Amino acid sequence: MRKKPSGGGVAKGYQLARKRQTRVAALAALLALLLLGGLVTPARATAATRLAALGDSLTAGYGLPAGDAFPARLEQALAARGRDVTIANFGVSGDTTAGGLARLDQVLALRPDGVVVELGANDMLRGQEPEAAAANLDAVLKRLTGAGIPVLLCGMRAAKNYGADYAAEFDAIYPALAKKYDAALYPFFLDGVTGRPDLTLPDGLHPNAKGVGEIVARILPTVEAFVDKLRNHAAPRP
């Protein structure tokens, strides 16, 4: 009489599969309990801080490759310091404070976390009245802060050939507006570069690539503090 197949091999394989499934299910249930109990925190992606740089040729990178413009070099320097920041370049060569104000809707449409404002050099070079520059910058800061967007204001200083009275009135614009709107202030954007032929283009006004590096190195601590404050007080994005 032939013996009936026992089927033991199939049954054993089935049992091993069931055991594996049971272990997987148990591990999944344990992980769920740990997550619910707050004992394990899942990794979360942190969004980059978004900045916009509103300025003139000093921001646009006049006479330089795009990668050597101030916003690009500043973004690189922040990354090297471990800060995930993107900086949109809203610099337009030749712009005055009035031009920057006229373009402000473009900046607001980006909905940045913060804005670096660098304007006023062309107003000064054209000998425009400081009151006009102050009024335009006031309007820029009023709209940005009214929209809940913090500002880092970069100061400019008047050339000495305009006279002491003009220089005193013009130079006072930036600290006064920073105080009025509780904005971060970097007193002089071209600090360390003005009067240095080795750091400027042949026109003696615009920084060369080395000059931009000097500007970035000097302003970096102020920007880092600004970015850290943004991240510490960031509201959820819509």
Side-chain angles (χ1 to χ4, degrees):
M1 179 182 289
R2 290 184 300 174
K3 294 183 179 179
K4 294 182 180 180
S6 65
V10 175
K12 184 179 291 186
Y14 175 75
Q15 290 169 2
L16 290 173
R18 285 292 300 273
K19 288 180 180 178
R20 284 195 294 269
Q21 291 173 358
T22 301
R23 285 197 296 269
V24 171
L27 286 172
L30 178 59
L31 180 59
L33 288 172
L34 290 173
L35 289 172
L36 287 173
L39 298 179
V40 175
T41 303
R44 295 180 180 177
T46 303
T49 299
R50 299 179 302 187
L51 298 183
L54 175 64
D56 48 40
S57 56
L58 299 176
T59 293
Y62 174 82
L64 300 173
D68 278 328
F70 168 71
R73 295 284 294 277
L74 179 58
E75 185 176 307
Q76 294 166 13
L78 288 167
R81 298 279 291 177
R83 287 169 172 81
D84 189 7
V85 180
T86 62
I87 308 177
N89 190 340
F90 284 91
V92 172
S93 295
D95 239 3
T96 60
T97 55
L101 176 59
R103 295 188 291 111
L104 193 54
D105 283 342
Q106 300 172 27
V107 177
L108 290 168
L110 182 67
R111 308 185 79 158
D113 297 307
V115 176
V116 179
V117 176
E118 175 278 305
L119 289 165
N122 288 314
D123 300 65
M124 179 269 296
L125 291 173
R126 297 176 189 182
Q128 296 181 1
E129 291 299 322
E131 293 93 334
N136 291 328
L137 286 171
D138 188 289
V140 169
L141 267 67
K142 183 177 182 179
R143 287 193 63 192
L144 288 171
T145 56
I149 302 173
V151 175
L152 168 54
L153 181 61
C154 297
M156 188 53 57
R157 291 179 183 167
K160 301 307 178 186
N161 59 309
Y162 286 102
D165 291 343
Y166 183 97
E169 188 176 354
F170 183 88
D171 295 356
I173 291 172
Y174 299 90
L177 288 176
K179 182 178 180 180
K180 179 178 180 179
Y181 289 100
D182 193 26
L185 176 66
Y186 184 67
F188 182 33
F189 186 75
L190 290 174
D191 183 41
V193 174
T194 299
R196 293 276 306 273
D198 59 319
L199 297 181
T200 59
L201 296 176
D203 62 14
L205 297 173
H206 296 91
N208 56 25
K210 187 177 178 182
V212 173
E214 182 68 18
I215 292 171
V216 168
R218 288 174 179 254
I219 199 175
L220 187 59
T222 302
V223 178
E224 285 184 295
F226 181 63
V227 168
D228 290 346
K229 187 175 180 180
L230 291 179
R231 296 193 71 85
N232 291 335
H233 298 87
R237 290 177 185 169

